[in-house]
Amino acid sequence: AAVDRAEVPAFMRQVEALAAGFDATLAPLHGPRAILAGEETEMTPLFRVMQRENSVAHALLTKVRGDLSQLRGACRGELKQTNHIRELLSDFSAGVVPRSWLATYAVPRSYSLSRWMADFADRVRVGQRLAERIAVGSVVDVVRARSVWLGGLLYPEAFVTATRQAVAKRLGCSLEELVIQLSVIDGAVAEEAFAVCGLKVEGAVWIDGALELNDGRHEPLPDCCIEWVRSEDVERDDCGLVTVPVYLNTDRRDLLFEARLPFVDATAYSSSAVVQRAVAIVAA
């Protein structure tokens, strides 16, 4: 039986209010839209990556909603506290993300509980819209028609690998023959390119078609495209370009790939300055 509200400890009332707010954040998110494979798509790596994104995101959504429901029930005295609920109470009281939620995909270690919830809701929302488009169209056409939030994917490294496999199949070449190129979109996107958005550069800013060192702040990059080209077709004269690492997030623990990008007055000095100033691109 539910207990009198006045008998509930103050911290549990605060936890219940926090969980109720999270419930409201997740309420508009509907269940998963099935992505059905056709004969031409069911075996493609890119389709399997997007199908996995869809299923894993909604499995986690179901788990989070279930945990919130149990937590609120325990705070109202309607459910007996289990070890799992006690752990949730402890995490919510401290404002940290439950470990069972963090096990699915990587986020910056600095994320608070509220920041994680807002980010997770955004990921699910964007993923649902992407799944809805894939359900009625070719997966390759869909991901090329509109920029994909690379850092919003649960497994962006798998997406990058799948784009390489898609291009290798189209060109009839091995994966080893292809090298990655990242460029800011300026006009039409090449047929072998995949548009991505949400990238940020740390330690530099994009000005007039090139990077320029700044005071270390994070700056958003315009929409970019990932393109896979044959290594033999890459221009050997890369004067004016510097190598910039592209990391999963601001923790810089997971390297996705490295990109050669134009730099203002690129010289041997500026290349070393990029390293010394730890210039990098982050996806989330």
Side-chain angles (χ1 to χ4, degrees):
V3 301
D4 187 278
R5 182 87 176 159
E7 298 178 11
V8 177
F11 88 92
M12 293 185 69
R13 292 198 296 269
Q14 293 171 351
V15 166
E16 202 277 334
L18 183 61
F22 291 159
D23 259 340
T25 298
L26 300 179
L29 304 177
H30 53 73
R33 171 68 182 270
I35 306 180
L36 301 178
E39 292 182 0
E40 296 182 0
T41 62
E42 61 184 357
M43 297 305 294
T44 64
L46 190 57
F47 178 84
R48 290 199 297 269
V49 165
M50 301 316 298
Q51 192 175 52
R52 180 190 181 202
E53 286 278 334
N54 186 53
S55 60
V56 171
H58 285 90
L60 182 55
L61 176 61
T62 299
K63 174 175 177 52
V64 171
R65 280 176 165 160
D67 284 349
L68 292 174
S69 176
Q70 290 184 53
L71 186 59
R72 295 183 66 187
C75 288
R76 292 192 297 261
E78 299 168 358
L79 291 178
K80 182 180 179 180
Q81 290 189 26
T82 62
N83 288 338
H84 179 59
I85 291 177
R86 291 189 188 95
E87 288 179 0
L88 290 175
L89 278 169
S90 176
D91 290 336
F92 271 57
S93 298
V96 300
V97 187
R99 283 180 297 177
S100 59
W101 298 1
L102 287 173
T104 301
Y105 62 95
V107 296
R109 283 178 280 191
S110 61
Y111 268 19
S112 65
L113 177 59
S114 295
R115 181 70 184 87
W116 184 92
M117 184 61 70
D119 175 79
F120 175 60
D122 286 341
R123 289 171 185 264
V124 175
R125 190 176 300 109
V126 172
Q128 285 176 341
R129 290 198 292 263
L130 188 58
E132 288 167 357
R133 297 200 301 272
I134 292 174
V136 295
S138 161
V139 61
V140 174
D141 291 342
V142 167
V143 298
R144 283 179 175 162
R146 195 175 304 176
S147 296
V148 173
W149 177 24
L150 184 63
L153 297 174
L154 304 184
Y155 310 106
E157 65 282 358
F159 174 80
V160 172
T161 299
T163 62
R164 186 182 195 181
Q165 293 169 321
V167 173
K169 181 178 180 181
R170 174 177 171 76
L171 298 180
C173 65
S174 68
L175 298 178
E176 290 72 23
E177 293 178 68
L178 300 176
V179 294
I180 195 169
Q181 292 187 335
L182 180 73
S183 59
V184 170
I185 295 176
D186 182 16
V189 177
E191 191 170 4
E192 276 74 41
F194 298 82
V196 295
C197 62
L199 301 180
K200 297 183 289 292
V201 59
E202 299 178 331
V205 62
W206 185 264
I207 298 179
D208 297 330
L211 289 174
E212 183 174 357
L213 290 174
N214 66 3
D215 58 5
R217 287 175 298 174
H218 299 183
E219 296 286 348
L221 277 175
D223 283 9
C224 298
C225 65
I226 291 173
E227 186 175 4
W228 293 97
V229 297
R230 292 178 185 267
S231 56
E232 62 191 38
D233 296 332
V234 177
E235 294 184 12
R236 300 306 173 189
D237 180 15
D238 60 357
C239 183
L241 302 179
V242 295
T243 300
V244 179
V246 181
Y247 291 102
L248 173 61
N249 57 45
T250 53
D251 283 351
R252 300 193 180 193
R253 286 180 295 173
D254 302 295
L255 179 68
L256 296 180
F257 56 89
E258 291 183 326
R260 299 283 288 168
L261 293 171
F263 202 87
V264 173
D265 298 327
T267 62
Y269 166 76
S270 61
S271 295
S272 63
V274 166
V275 175
Q276 293 169 2
R277 300 280 287 274
V279 175
I281 293 172
V282 295

